Amino acid sequence: MISFQTISSFRARLQALVNIRKGVYSSVPAEIKREFESADIETIRHNRDMILIQNDLVIVKYRLGDKRMKLSKANGYRLIYMVSTLHERVVFLDIYPKRGSLQQLDIDDRQLMRLIEEYLEEDAGHQLMNYQF
């Protein structure tokens, strides 16, 4: 069974998206659930934009649409996550919209390294939290 976990900055970013006035991003958790809840680990790992591959670990930038806002995957969100097929674990690292008040166009190497460092610290300190669908 696949374990889904989050780092603290992902949780903060997701909460900020959901709390935006007028519910603009309120369907983000439902979109994550729709994409990941019934997928197997190989599907989650492959057929995505792989940013970094290190042995069993893969960091992926996934395009996520928003059906409620009628946004395609190109105009919706970017979900950055790490996959370990050996441990059947997915760790959500970041999420950002391509449009709107919290818009971000891309993730740079420095931001990615910060997310990886945060993951390593929280994993070592047993601070990762399970993501519930």
Side-chain angles (χ1 to χ4, degrees):
M1 180 167 190
I2 301 172
S3 165
F4 292 92
Q5 297 177 312
T6 63
I7 62 173
S8 57
S9 63
F10 173 84
R11 293 188 299 274
R13 180 88 89 140
L14 183 61
Q15 191 62 45
L17 286 172
V18 171
N19 288 339
I20 291 289
R21 282 181 289 127
K22 300 180 185 175
V24 174
Y25 304 117
S26 63
S27 66
V28 174
E31 296 296 338
I32 293 171
K33 178 180 180 177
R34 185 176 57 80
E35 291 293 326
F36 290 88
E37 185 177 42
S38 61
D40 62 77
I41 196 73
E42 288 300 323
T43 302
I44 293 170
R45 183 182 188 277
H46 293 289
N47 300 321
R48 309 287 198 261
D49 292 333
M50 294 180 204
I51 299 175
L52 181 67
I53 301 172
Q54 183 77 28
N55 302 323
D56 172 57
L57 297 177
V58 176
I59 296 181
V60 179
K61 177 170 69 172
Y62 180 61
R63 290 174 172 86
L64 189 64
D66 188 333
K67 290 187 185 243
R68 186 176 147 272
M69 296 297 293
K70 297 182 179 145
L71 294 175
S72 68
K73 288 184 176 189
N75 294 316
Y77 308 95
R78 297 300 178 264
L79 179 61
I80 309 298
Y81 63 89
M82 185 181 64
V83 181
S84 168
T85 54
L86 180 65
H87 298 103
E88 289 206 349
R89 178 163 78 164
V90 175
V91 180
F92 295 127
L93 302 173
D94 197 12
I95 187 166
Y96 56 90
K98 294 293 285 185
R99 295 178 177 235
S101 61
L102 297 178
Q103 171 182 341
Q104 181 176 329
L105 298 178
D106 205 356
I107 187 166
D108 63 34
D109 291 343
R110 192 177 62 237
Q111 289 172 304
L112 185 59
M113 291 308 298
R114 183 185 52 77
L115 293 170
I116 293 169
E117 289 170 4
E118 183 178 341
Y119 159 74
L120 292 171
E121 288 174 14
E122 291 188 14
D123 188 38
H126 305 287
Q127 297 170 321
L128 298 176
M129 293 185 70
N130 289 330
Y131 187 83
Q132 301 297 321
F133 290 111

